[in-house]
mmCIF file of all heavy atoms in Angstrom:
data_model
loop_
_atom_site.group_PDB
_atom_site.id
_atom_site.type_symbol
_atom_site.label_atom_id
_atom_site.label_comp_id
_atom_site.label_asym_id
_atom_site.label_seq_id
_atom_site.Cartn_x
_atom_site.Cartn_y
_atom_site.Cartn_z
ATOM 1 N N PHE A 1 89.497 90.340 -2.790
ATOM 2 C CA PHE A 1 90.381 89.814 -1.752
ATOM 3 C C PHE A 1 91.053 88.591 -2.353
ATOM 4 O O PHE A 1 90.373 87.603 -2.720
ATOM 5 C CB PHE A 1 89.606 89.441 -0.490
ATOM 6 C CG PHE A 1 90.538 89.056 0.629
ATOM 7 C CD1 PHE A 1 91.038 89.993 1.512
ATOM 8 C CD2 PHE A 1 90.919 87.729 0.798
ATOM 9 C CE1 PHE A 1 91.900 89.633 2.538
ATOM 10 C CE2 PHE A 1 91.785 87.357 1.805
ATOM 11 C CZ PHE A 1 92.291 88.319 2.671
ATOM 12 N N ILE A 2 92.388 88.645 -2.497
ATOM 13 C CA ILE A 2 93.132 87.594 -3.159
ATOM 14 C C ILE A 2 94.129 86.980 -2.190
ATOM 15 O O ILE A 2 95.004 87.680 -1.640
ATOM 16 C CB ILE A 2 93.881 88.141 -4.381
ATOM 17 C CG1 ILE A 2 92.881 88.664 -5.408
ATOM 18 C CG2 ILE A 2 94.755 87.059 -5.007
ATOM 19 C CD1 ILE A 2 93.501 89.303 -6.614
ATOM 20 N N PRO A 3 94.016 85.675 -1.912
ATOM 21 C CA PRO A 3 94.999 85.019 -1.055
ATOM 22 C C PRO A 3 96.397 85.050 -1.662
ATOM 23 O O PRO A 3 96.595 84.587 -2.793
ATOM 24 C CB PRO A 3 94.478 83.576 -0.947
ATOM 25 C CG PRO A 3 92.996 83.714 -1.217
ATOM 26 C CD PRO A 3 92.905 84.789 -2.264
ATOM 27 N N THR A 4 97.327 85.556 -0.916
ATOM 28 C CA THR A 4 98.736 85.622 -1.369
ATOM 29 C C THR A 4 99.588 84.604 -0.644
ATOM 30 O O THR A 4 100.780 84.459 -0.939
ATOM 31 C CB THR A 4 99.290 87.031 -1.106
ATOM 32 O OG1 THR A 4 99.175 87.315 0.295
ATOM 33 C CG2 THR A 4 98.557 88.085 -1.910
ATOM 34 N N GLY A 5 99.027 83.899 0.336
ATOM 35 C CA GLY A 5 99.802 82.954 1.106
ATOM 36 C C GLY A 5 99.032 81.688 1.430
ATOM 37 O O GLY A 5 97.840 81.561 1.118
ATOM 38 N N ARG A 6 99.723 80.773 2.074
ATOM 39 C CA ARG A 6 99.077 79.531 2.515
ATOM 40 C C ARG A 6 99.694 79.112 3.847
ATOM 41 O O ARG A 6 100.897 79.327 4.116
ATOM 42 C CB ARG A 6 99.255 78.403 1.500
ATOM 43 C CG ARG A 6 100.678 78.009 1.194
ATOM 44 C CD ARG A 6 100.748 76.948 0.093
ATOM 45 N NE ARG A 6 102.111 76.624 -0.266
ATOM 46 C CZ ARG A 6 102.854 75.693 0.333
ATOM 47 N NH1 ARG A 6 102.338 74.994 1.297
ATOM 48 N NH2 ARG A 6 104.086 75.470 -0.072
ATOM 49 N N ALA A 7 98.838 78.558 4.706
ATOM 50 C CA ALA A 7 99.294 78.108 6.031
ATOM 51 C C ALA A 7 99.988 76.741 5.906
ATOM 52 O O ALA A 7 99.600 75.903 5.108
ATOM 53 C CB ALA A 7 98.118 78.022 6.982
ATOM 54 N N ILE A 8 101.013 76.573 6.732
ATOM 55 C CA ILE A 8 101.743 75.288 6.796
ATOM 56 C C ILE A 8 101.864 74.914 8.259
ATOM 57 O O ILE A 8 102.623 75.527 9.020
ATOM 58 C CB ILE A 8 103.140 75.383 6.151
ATOM 59 C CG1 ILE A 8 103.044 75.952 4.721
ATOM 60 C CG2 ILE A 8 103.828 74.015 6.156
ATOM 61 C CD1 ILE A 8 104.416 76.314 4.142
ATOM 62 N N ASN A 9 101.131 73.899 8.707
ATOM 63 C CA ASN A 9 101.192 73.477 10.075
ATOM 64 C C ASN A 9 102.461 72.663 10.342
ATOM 65 O O ASN A 9 102.761 71.748 9.576
ATOM 66 C CB ASN A 9 99.947 72.663 10.429
ATOM 67 C CG ASN A 9 99.914 72.230 11.870
ATOM 68 O OD1 ASN A 9 100.457 71.198 12.220
ATOM 69 N ND2 ASN A 9 99.279 73.037 12.704
ATOM 70 N N PRO A 10 103.211 72.952 11.402
ATOM 71 C CA PRO A 10 104.474 72.250 11.646
ATOM 72 C C PRO A 10 104.282 70.791 12.022
ATOM 73 O O PRO A 10 105.242 69.986 11.918
ATOM 74 C CB PRO A 10 105.115 73.054 12.786
ATOM 75 C CG PRO A 10 103.956 73.687 13.473
ATOM 76 C CD PRO A 10 102.965 73.998 12.407
ATOM 77 N N VAL A 11 103.102 70.404 12.480
ATOM 78 C CA VAL A 11 102.852 69.030 12.880
ATOM 79 C C VAL A 11 102.400 68.199 11.702
ATOM 80 O O VAL A 11 102.925 67.091 11.445
ATOM 81 C CB VAL A 11 101.802 68.959 14.011
ATOM 82 C CG1 VAL A 11 101.488 67.514 14.379
ATOM 83 C CG2 VAL A 11 102.297 69.731 15.235
ATOM 84 N N THR A 12 101.438 68.705 10.944
ATOM 85 C CA THR A 12 100.867 67.955 9.830
ATOM 86 C C THR A 12 101.547 68.207 8.480
ATOM 87 O O THR A 12 101.428 67.427 7.565
ATOM 88 C CB THR A 12 99.367 68.264 9.678
ATOM 89 O OG1 THR A 12 99.193 69.629 9.291
ATOM 90 C CG2 THR A 12 98.634 68.014 10.984
ATOM 91 N N GLY A 13 102.227 69.351 8.369
ATOM 92 C CA GLY A 13 102.858 69.744 7.107
ATOM 93 C C GLY A 13 101.871 70.242 6.081
ATOM 94 O O GLY A 13 102.240 70.547 4.946
ATOM 95 N N THR A 14 100.610 70.370 6.466
ATOM 96 C CA THR A 14 99.584 70.852 5.556
ATOM 97 C C THR A 14 98.682 71.820 6.309
ATOM 98 O O THR A 14 99.115 72.468 7.277
ATOM 99 C CB THR A 14 98.792 69.676 4.961
ATOM 100 O OG1 THR A 14 97.830 70.164 4.028
ATOM 101 C CG2 THR A 14 98.112 68.852 6.048
ATOM 102 N N ASN A 15 97.419 71.979 5.878
ATOM 103 C CA ASN A 15 96.494 72.870 6.563
ATOM 104 C C ASN A 15 95.055 72.406 6.387
ATOM 105 O O ASN A 15 94.829 71.263 5.961
ATOM 106 C CB ASN A 15 96.667 74.311 6.061
ATOM 107 C CG ASN A 15 96.482 74.424 4.575
ATOM 108 O OD1 ASN A 15 95.533 73.907 3.989
ATOM 109 N ND2 ASN A 15 97.413 75.121 3.900
ATOM 110 N N TRP A 16 94.109 73.263 6.648
ATOM 111 C CA TRP A 16 92.689 72.885 6.635
ATOM 112 C C TRP A 16 91.979 73.383 5.395
ATOM 113 O O TRP A 16 90.746 73.355 5.327
ATOM 114 C CB TRP A 16 92.036 73.453 7.899
ATOM 115 C CG TRP A 16 92.178 74.955 8.003
ATOM 116 C CD1 TRP A 16 91.291 75.899 7.592
ATOM 117 C CD2 TRP A 16 93.322 75.653 8.526
ATOM 118 N NE1 TRP A 16 91.803 77.160 7.831
ATOM 119 C CE2 TRP A 16 93.019 77.018 8.419
ATOM 120 C CE3 TRP A 16 94.509 75.254 9.120
ATOM 121 C CZ2 TRP A 16 93.913 78.025 8.839
ATOM 122 C CZ3 TRP A 16 95.397 76.244 9.521
ATOM 123 C CH2 TRP A 16 95.100 77.602 9.403
ATOM 124 N N GLU A 17 92.721 73.856 4.384
ATOM 125 C CA GLU A 17 92.092 74.365 3.159
ATOM 126 C C GLU A 17 91.201 73.296 2.523
ATOM 127 O O GLU A 17 91.585 72.141 2.357
ATOM 128 C CB GLU A 17 93.168 74.814 2.161
ATOM 129 C CG GLU A 17 92.631 75.399 0.865
ATOM 130 C CD GLU A 17 91.890 76.693 1.055
ATOM 131 O OE1 GLU A 17 92.157 77.416 2.011
ATOM 132 O OE2 GLU A 17 91.016 77.006 0.199
ATOM 133 N N HIS A 18 89.984 73.682 2.164
ATOM 134 C CA HIS A 18 88.974 72.831 1.508
ATOM 135 C C HIS A 18 88.351 71.819 2.451
ATOM 136 O O HIS A 18 87.153 71.561 2.399
ATOM 137 C CB HIS A 18 89.521 72.119 0.262
ATOM 138 C CG HIS A 18 90.008 73.026 -0.807
ATOM 139 N ND1 HIS A 18 89.336 74.160 -1.205
ATOM 140 C CD2 HIS A 18 91.135 72.976 -1.579
ATOM 141 C CE1 HIS A 18 90.002 74.771 -2.163
ATOM 142 N NE2 HIS A 18 91.086 74.085 -2.401
ATOM 143 N N VAL A 19 89.155 71.195 3.318
ATOM 144 C CA VAL A 19 88.651 70.098 4.141
ATOM 145 C C VAL A 19 88.097 70.581 5.482
ATOM 146 O O VAL A 19 87.305 69.873 6.125
ATOM 147 C CB VAL A 19 89.734 69.027 4.404
ATOM 148 C CG1 VAL A 19 90.179 68.415 3.086
ATOM 149 C CG2 VAL A 19 90.921 69.638 5.128
ATOM 150 N N GLY A 20 88.492 71.761 5.936
ATOM 151 C CA GLY A 20 88.068 72.265 7.226
ATOM 152 C C GLY A 20 88.783 71.559 8.370
ATOM 153 O O GLY A 20 89.541 70.620 8.185
ATOM 154 N N VAL A 21 88.512 72.046 9.568
ATOM 155 C CA VAL A 21 89.062 71.432 10.771
ATOM 156 C C VAL A 21 87.994 70.481 11.324
ATOM 157 O O VAL A 21 86.874 70.902 11.617
ATOM 158 C CB VAL A 21 89.422 72.479 11.842
ATOM 159 C CG1 VAL A 21 90.056 71.809 13.056
ATOM 160 C CG2 VAL A 21 90.385 73.516 11.250
ATOM 161 N N LYS A 22 88.337 69.238 11.474
ATOM 162 C CA LYS A 22 87.382 68.209 11.884
ATOM 163 C C LYS A 22 87.356 68.095 13.417
ATOM 164 O O LYS A 22 88.408 67.874 14.037
ATOM 165 C CB LYS A 22 87.700 66.889 11.229
ATOM 166 C CG LYS A 22 87.514 66.924 9.703
ATOM 167 C CD LYS A 22 87.924 65.598 9.067
ATOM 168 C CE LYS A 22 87.511 65.589 7.585
ATOM 169 N NZ LYS A 22 88.018 66.738 6.835
ATOM 170 N N PRO A 23 86.192 68.156 14.031
ATOM 171 C CA PRO A 23 86.138 68.066 15.486
ATOM 172 C C PRO A 23 86.371 66.665 16.011
ATOM 173 O O PRO A 23 86.152 65.675 15.286
ATOM 174 C CB PRO A 23 84.687 68.538 15.793
ATOM 175 C CG PRO A 23 83.909 68.172 14.546
ATOM 176 C CD PRO A 23 84.876 68.377 13.405
ATOM 177 N N ASP A 24 86.790 66.579 17.257
ATOM 178 C CA ASP A 24 86.967 65.286 17.901
ATOM 179 C C ASP A 24 85.609 64.685 18.270
ATOM 180 O O ASP A 24 85.463 63.467 18.316
ATOM 181 C CB ASP A 24 87.819 65.449 19.161
ATOM 182 C CG ASP A 24 89.181 66.050 18.878
ATOM 183 O OD1 ASP A 24 89.941 65.454 18.113
ATOM 184 O OD2 ASP A 24 89.466 67.155 19.394
ATOM 185 N N HIS A 25 84.652 65.564 18.527
ATOM 186 C CA HIS A 25 83.285 65.137 18.864
ATOM 187 C C HIS A 25 82.314 65.850 17.922
ATOM 188 O O HIS A 25 81.871 66.962 18.211
ATOM 189 C CB HIS A 25 82.947 65.468 20.335
ATOM 190 C CG HIS A 25 83.781 64.739 21.324
ATOM 191 N ND1 HIS A 25 83.426 63.512 21.845
ATOM 192 C CD2 HIS A 25 84.988 65.051 21.897
ATOM 193 C CE1 HIS A 25 84.348 63.091 22.714
ATOM 194 N NE2 HIS A 25 85.308 64.007 22.732
ATOM 195 N N PRO A 26 81.985 65.244 16.789
ATOM 196 C CA PRO A 26 81.081 65.888 15.807
ATOM 197 C C PRO A 26 79.661 65.991 16.363
ATOM 198 O O PRO A 26 79.125 65.003 16.877
ATOM 199 C CB PRO A 26 81.130 64.944 14.589
ATOM 200 C CG PRO A 26 82.329 64.082 14.806
ATOM 201 C CD PRO A 26 82.484 63.940 16.273
ATOM 202 N N ILE A 27 79.095 67.188 16.245
ATOM 203 C CA ILE A 27 77.731 67.438 16.680
ATOM 204 C C ILE A 27 77.265 68.759 16.068
ATOM 205 O O ILE A 27 78.075 69.611 15.756
ATOM 206 C CB ILE A 27 77.656 67.471 18.227
ATOM 207 C CG1 ILE A 27 76.196 67.437 18.715
ATOM 208 C CG2 ILE A 27 78.408 68.643 18.787
ATOM 209 C CD1 ILE A 27 76.077 67.260 20.209
ATOM 210 N N ALA A 28 75.977 68.927 15.897
ATOM 211 C CA ALA A 28 75.444 70.169 15.330
ATOM 212 C C ALA A 28 75.896 71.358 16.157
ATOM 213 O O ALA A 28 75.967 71.289 17.396
ATOM 214 C CB ALA A 28 73.920 70.112 15.265
ATOM 215 N N ALA A 29 76.201 72.469 15.477
ATOM 216 C CA ALA A 29 76.730 73.636 16.149
ATOM 217 C C ALA A 29 75.796 74.139 17.242
ATOM 218 O O ALA A 29 76.240 74.607 18.296
ATOM 219 C CB ALA A 29 76.989 74.738 15.140
ATOM 220 N N GLU A 30 74.487 74.061 17.025
ATOM 221 C CA GLU A 30 73.533 74.514 18.006
ATOM 222 C C GLU A 30 73.598 73.740 19.299
ATOM 223 O O GLU A 30 73.225 74.229 20.354
ATOM 224 C CB GLU A 30 72.104 74.459 17.434
ATOM 225 C CG GLU A 30 71.825 75.425 16.297
ATOM 226 C CD GLU A 30 72.345 74.924 14.953
ATOM 227 O OE1 GLU A 30 72.907 73.771 14.904
ATOM 228 O OE2 GLU A 30 72.239 75.647 13.949
ATOM 229 N N GLU A 31 74.060 72.497 19.212
ATOM 230 C CA GLU A 31 74.136 71.621 20.402
ATOM 231 C C GLU A 31 75.569 71.506 20.922
ATOM 232 O O GLU A 31 75.794 70.876 21.963
ATOM 233 C CB GLU A 31 73.625 70.227 20.037
ATOM 234 C CG GLU A 31 72.216 70.233 19.451
ATOM 235 C CD GLU A 31 71.832 68.878 18.880
ATOM 236 O OE1 GLU A 31 72.488 67.873 19.255
ATOM 237 O OE2 GLU A 31 70.921 68.817 18.045
ATOM 238 N N ALA A 32 76.505 72.101 20.227
ATOM 239 C CA ALA A 32 77.940 71.878 20.539
ATOM 240 C C ALA A 32 78.366 72.416 21.890
ATOM 241 O O ALA A 32 79.161 71.808 22.590
ATOM 242 C CB ALA A 32 78.807 72.465 19.435
#
C-alpha cells in the first residue's frame, strides 16, 4: 500500500502526518 497523495487542510495549510491530531482535553483512551 503506497501513499500517492497528501492531505492539505484549508485552515492550517498542512495536516496531521507524523504528529497526529492533538485533543483539546488529553486523557487516556480508556477514560476518554
Side-chain angles (χ1 to χ4, degrees):
F1 186 89
I2 297 177
T4 57
R6 60 183 176 89
I8 307 170
N9 182 273
V11 177
T12 66
T14 182
N15 57 47
W16 58 95
E17 181 66 26
H18 300 317
V19 298
V21 183
K22 294 177 171 54
D24 303 299
H25 296 270
I27 191 171
E30 293 80 3
E31 305 170 20

